[in-house]
Amino acid sequence: MELCTLFSGSSGNACLIRCGDTQLLVDAGVSAKRLVGALRNLDVDPGELSGILVTHEHIDHIRGIDVLSKSYNLPVYANEGTWAAMEPKVERVALRNRRAFQRAQDFYIRDINVQPFSIPHDAADPVGYVLTSGKCRFAMATDMGYAHPDVLETLKGCQGIVLESNHDEEMLRRGKYPARLKQRILGRKGHLSNATSGELALKLAQSGTRALLLAHLSRENNLPELAFSTVSGCLSAGQVEPGKDIYLQLAPADGASALIKMG
Ligand SMILES: [Zn+2]
Ligand SMILES: [Zn+2]
């Protein structure tokens, strides 16, 4: 199984997961045109995708779904709460391509087992995903206000994880965002800071995670080198050496990340 992000951050998110002939997108948060370009750059025919999994209805996760699903006849998977919340923006997704799953109920898309899990975020019914094939387990965990203990339990044992490292708290507090927006981001249903991401990264590394892609970095309130140094500092403090004990990379805002490949 292999995974890479195609876009990451508040301007749009999409992640590609491949296992044999099964190819999935998690989120499609930039225009369909840009997604198609990014997929073709990786020699992926968009028409060959097995589906699009949606984490939640925020526009940076769903912007391209409508056109991409209609143009290539792709099934879209989301829970009922997310379907209801994103309804006006996905009118062109054909009825046959609307797949609703139950909360906390795993299901298969061809070769890949999909396990949605709840995340603390200010959306209707937001989820992350654990994607499993054989002994290989990958996870998507972004848009989280804090490291909920249930999320940590779910992520334990995943070898490769796309983990949010959204902001530096100091940069956010001093930055020019309005007070209300700062409160939202810092809140329990906002986004994960570099420091919290680092604490979580260490716990995950200690429970077997071998590769982390730091994702959903804020353009305003973070710097790639700061996210990387904060998380790698937390790992090193816990005797986990990035580059040796764990593979640590940043997910670029625009363009494919490094490929995480296992199994
Ligand atoms: Zn969100
Ligand atoms: Zn987001």
Side-chain angles (χ1 to χ4, degrees), residues 120-122 143-146 164 167 183-192:
H121 191 53
D122 55 354
D143 298 74
M144 302 189 294
Y146 68 107
E164 174 162 49
H167 59 274
Q183 263 337 100
R184 191 214 136 210
I185 295 168
L186 289 165
R188 300 278 277 181
K189 292 193 164 189
H191 289 278
L192 218 57

Side-chain angles (χ1 to χ4, degrees), residues 194-212:
N194 295 339
T196 316
S197 182
E199 286 170 26
L200 188 55
L202 177 60
K203 289 177 187 155
L204 293 169
Q206 289 168 338
S207 66
T209 298
R210 309 245 320 277
L212 285 170

Side-chain angles (χ1 to χ4, degrees), residues 47 49 53 55 109 127 131 141 175 184 188 207 209 211 227 237 247:
L49 290 171
L53 294 163
T55 58
I109 301 178
V127 296
L131 303 153
R184 191 214 136 210
R188 300 278 277 181
S207 66
T209 298
Y247 180 80

Side-chain angles (χ1 to χ4, degrees), residues 56 58 61 121 143:
H56 63 294
H58 289 162
H61 297 262
H121 191 53
D143 298 74

